[in-house]
């Protein structure tokens, strides 16, 4: 059975080339990862070690301060960093996040773009750890939040 990394790579490679493919990929993400799908993310770019994911500002994602809720931002950052990590993993490696740290720098309003990055080891023979990160930007390009995710990796 293919690993999640292999399934993700195959789906993105196939769907991203089709006219409605990116939207179909977003739907696939929402079905595969229902909680992350609850914010209705839009995957813009996905390659090994890098993912760009957008979040449209909607009333249901706002807090009492009329900005995007902290947990919606954490969800977006975790998805972007997780896609980057999962896409970068060697085909014989599985991983799971074990710690998330997020720093909120300013109120987030408007469309938020998350840039996820990860550089896992090229080979994993024993259980090990690796970091992924995400930076979240508002429409003006200002950094609104920064996230680091610790992953536990092991051979599949």
């Amino acid at each position: 059975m293919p690993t999640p990394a292999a399934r993700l790579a195959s789906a993105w490679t196939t769907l991203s080339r089709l006219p409605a493919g990116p939207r179909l990929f977003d739907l696939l993400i929402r079905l595969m990862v229902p909680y992350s799908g609850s914010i209705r993310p839009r995957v813009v770019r996905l390659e090994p070690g890098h993912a760009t994911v957008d979040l449209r500002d909607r009333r249901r994602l706002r807090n009492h301060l009329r900005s995007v809720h902290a947990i919606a931002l954490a969800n977006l950052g975790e998805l972007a960093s997780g896609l980057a990590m999962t896409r970068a993993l060697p085909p014989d490696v599985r991983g799971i996040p074990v710690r998330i740290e997020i720093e909120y720098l300013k109120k987030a309003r408007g469309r938020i773009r998350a840039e996820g990055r990860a550089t896992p080891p090229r080979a994993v023979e024993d259980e090990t750890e690796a970091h992924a990160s995400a930076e979240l930007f508002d429409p003006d390009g200002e950094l609104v939040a920064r996230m680091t995710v610790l992953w536990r990796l092991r051979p599949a």
Side-chain angles (χ1 to χ4, degrees), residues 23 26 39-44 52-58 61-62 68 73 76 107-114 136-142 144:
R23 298 291 181 246
D26 295 339
I39 62 170
R40 294 195 173 191
R42 298 275 167 108
V43 178
V44 176
T52 303
V53 184
D54 282 354
L55 174 69
R56 188 172 53 91
D57 187 352
R58 299 186 318 280
L61 299 178
R62 288 187 162 231
V68 179
L73 293 172
L76 178 65
K107 290 179 185 174
R109 293 193 172 111
R111 183 176 300 269
I112 305 300
R113 174 159 284 186
L136 286 69
F137 299 92
D138 68 12
D140 295 328
E142 291 191 46
V144 298

Side-chain angles (χ1 to χ4, degrees), residues 1-97:
M1 175 139 206
T3 63
R7 290 193 314 267
L8 183 69
S10 176
W12 178 257
T13 300
T14 301
L15 294 174
S16 66
R17 296 177 186 174
L18 302 174
R23 298 291 181 246
L24 291 172
F25 186 80
D26 295 339
L27 179 60
L28 181 65
I29 289 291
R30 292 194 334 232
L31 292 171
M32 290 177 63
V33 192
Y35 184 76
S36 292
S38 69
I39 62 170
R40 294 195 173 191
R42 298 275 167 108
V43 178
V44 176
R45 181 177 175 193
L46 182 59
E47 56 191 44
H50 184 242
T52 303
V53 184
D54 282 354
L55 174 69
R56 188 172 53 91
D57 187 352
R58 299 186 318 280
R59 185 179 187 288
R60 71 179 307 173
L61 299 178
R62 288 187 162 231
N63 58 26
H64 64 289
L65 303 172
R66 295 187 316 262
S67 59
V68 179
H69 196 284
I71 297 304
L73 293 172
N75 191 339
L76 178 65
E78 193 274 336
L79 179 62
S81 63
L83 287 171
M85 176 65 82
T86 302
R87 184 66 177 86
L89 289 174
D92 60 343
V93 175
R94 291 185 184 265
I96 187 167

